[in-house]
Amino acid sequence: MQILSQTEQWITLLVPASLSEGEAAMLALLKSAVIHGTGVQADVRDNFLSAVREVVWNAIEHGGRLDESKQIRIDLLHSNRALTCFVKDPGPGFHLSKMEHAAVNNPDDDAVKHALVRESAADHSFMQILSI
């Protein structure tokens, strides 16, 4: 893991796409002045870092394909009003319009369509398991 830049208001890390390097990155974020200078409550900070960890893990596993030659960039920023994290990985990404199971694709007149799509997919997966 490499720290590209660090101040009291931001830290930028370049992390090889491996789980051990991801752990090292999370430890660096936890110890950073950015996190300690926020003044937010410990439970809020911990919840934020839990969410960041999930995003980093997805980037390592799916974007970097657990290939240490690929790099994940993490930018953690603290402003007067917000704590923000950007994670960039080398993966192809995805298009929201192709994610039928996401609420963002619900028609205006059907606020729960995504839940039905997910339920149908789960039922199908369950039936496949039973038929094995």
Side-chain angles (χ1 to χ4, degrees):
M1 179 200 60
Q2 181 182 5
I3 298 175
L4 297 180
S5 65
Q6 184 174 14
T7 72
E8 289 184 6
Q9 293 181 303
W10 77 79
I11 184 170
T12 299
L13 307 175
L14 200 56
V15 183
S18 79
L19 296 178
S20 61
E21 292 290 337
E23 283 292 345
M26 291 307 301
L27 188 58
L29 294 177
L30 180 61
K31 292 181 174 182
S32 73
V34 177
I35 290 296
H36 290 285
T38 61
V40 299
Q41 296 173 340
D43 61 332
V44 174
R45 179 199 63 221
D46 293 345
N47 287 337
F48 177 80
L49 287 174
S50 290
V52 168
R53 185 177 190 275
E54 287 301 313
V55 172
V56 169
W57 255 231
N58 283 341
I60 289 170
E61 291 181 50
H62 302 290
R65 304 251 185 235
L66 297 169
D67 179 349
E68 289 190 30
S69 70
K70 295 185 178 174
Q71 301 286 311
I72 310 301
R73 180 183 168 128
I74 304 169
D75 294 287
L76 183 64
L77 312 154
H78 177 243
S79 68
N80 292 336
R81 302 180 80 188
L83 187 58
T84 308
C85 185
F86 298 96
V87 178
K88 182 172 175 34
D89 66 53
F94 54 88
H95 295 280
L96 286 177
S97 63
K98 294 181 181 178
M99 298 179 66
E100 292 180 359
H101 64 285
V104 70
N105 287 317
N106 285 342
D108 290 339
D109 62 343
D110 190 355
V112 296
K113 181 180 180 205
H114 69 287
L116 299 174
V117 170
R118 283 198 305 254
E119 187 175 297
S120 174
D123 288 347
H124 179 71
S125 296
F126 183 70
M127 294 307 286
Q128 285 181 330
I129 291 169
L130 290 177
S131 66
I132 290 177

